[in-house]
Amino acid sequence: MEYNGKIRIVIADDHSVVRAGLRYLINAESDMQVVGEAGDGDEALKLTRELRPDILLLDISMPFCNGFTVVERIAAEMPLVKVLVLSMHEDCEYVEKALAAGAAGYIIKRAADNDLITGIRVVSQGGVFIHPLVARFLVDALQKGAKGKGHPDKNSEKRNTHLTSRETEVLRLVALGYTNQEIAEALGLSVKTVESHKGNISRKLNLTSRAELVRYALQQGLIPRD
């Protein structure tokens, strides 16, 4: 869903100065174009429905309609629109909630220059982009949690050996944000078979949410942190 070969982007942030800076940064790239701007969550939903951009660049702390709610509604109504969260919050709780809601990426505002451009390109190609610093926090939290429960880190590596090679590949594509249909096409499988593999993965790893699967895939090196 590109226009004149460019990635179409809607910016949603309640600060006009921030939007202006993001617009300047994005439009300076030959393969990107800002096609709309919103100052609150309701407007972000309205513009996204009207314009159907490739990417909604969304500040998670928005007036009127919470950013997480915006992500959930877009994921449900417009799955082809990828949401890239841009936030000042760097703690794992926000990242996990955004990914679980359906976001395709998470970038922290204080490092939003080159990382933002990279994130837009990765997400537009169907990938998942998590800022390297935030990804490190996620992995650290997962490792500390495992230790706190009396399970050494090596157990997660051992647990991964219970996945078949096909399940591992399905897990990687799930973590990268692929839909069941896209995974089926990429691996030459039926959608029903993909769903069966996903069920086996969740059962074997005892992981249910997409955020948990992304964290696990990051820890196992199945997807890049940048």
Side-chain angles (χ1 to χ4, degrees):
M1 187 166 49
E2 295 183 2
Y3 179 72
N4 289 339
K6 293 187 177 184
I7 304 167
R8 301 171 67 249
I9 301 160
V10 166
I11 299 172
D13 192 290
D14 58 335
H15 295 95
S16 59
V17 173
V18 173
R19 294 200 305 272
L22 293 172
R23 181 176 65 248
Y24 178 82
L25 184 67
I26 292 169
N27 284 342
E29 300 296 317
S30 61
D31 60 339
M32 301 178 189
Q33 179 181 3
V34 174
V35 296
E37 297 180 28
D40 60 61
D42 288 341
E43 190 178 3
L45 280 171
K46 180 181 178 181
L47 266 182
T48 303
R49 289 179 180 128
E50 290 178 357
L51 300 175
R52 301 289 170 139
D54 300 292
I55 293 174
L56 170 63
L57 182 60
L58 175 71
D59 181 2
I60 209 68
S61 301
M62 296 283 284
F64 300 120
C65 186
N66 181 277
F68 296 116
T69 301
V70 174
V71 176
E72 289 175 348
R73 290 185 182 176
I74 288 176
E77 296 177 27
M78 299 162 277
L80 293 180
V81 178
K82 306 300 183 182
V83 180
L84 182 56
V85 169
L86 182 64
S87 177
M88 63 179 289
H89 301 289
E90 301 180 18
D91 52 293
C92 296
E93 181 182 358
Y94 277 84
V95 184
E96 290 177 359
K97 284 183 68 176
L99 294 175
Y106 195 102
I107 296 177
I108 55 179
K109 279 190 173 181
R110 68 181 176 91
D113 39 28
N114 291 333
D115 289 318
L116 172 61
I117 298 304
T118 300
I120 289 172
R121 292 198 175 108
V122 169
V123 168
S124 73
Q125 294 168 6
V128 172
F129 184 90
I130 303 175
H131 188 272
L133 178 60
V134 174
R136 182 68 259 169
F137 289 161
L138 284 173
V139 173
D140 287 346
L142 185 63
Q143 292 173 340
K144 288 176 183 177
K147 290 178 181 179
K149 294 177 182 177
H151 300 293
D153 292 344
K154 65 181 180 181
N155 280 1
S156 63
E157 184 175 339
K158 181 179 180 181
R159 180 172 57 178
N160 191 41
T161 62
H162 294 303
L163 296 182
T164 66
S165 58
R166 180 63 82 189
E167 288 167 349
T168 300
E169 183 61 17
V170 170
L171 170 61
R172 186 182 73 83
L173 294 176
V174 169
L176 286 172
Y178 284 59
T179 65
N180 288 351
Q181 182 64 47
E182 290 169 338
I183 294 172
E185 293 174 358
L187 300 181
L189 304 173
S190 68
V191 172
K192 188 175 181 180
T193 299
V194 171
E195 292 172 347
S196 176
H197 283 314
K198 288 174 67 174
N200 289 336
I201 292 167
S202 294
R203 177 175 51 79
K204 289 180 179 181
L205 300 181
N206 194 28
L207 302 174
T208 54
S209 74
R210 183 163 172 265
E212 291 174 324
L213 292 172
V214 169
R215 290 198 327 184
Y216 183 79
L218 279 166
Q219 185 184 38
Q220 296 298 321
L222 297 179
I223 58 176
R225 294 178 185 171
D226 57 357

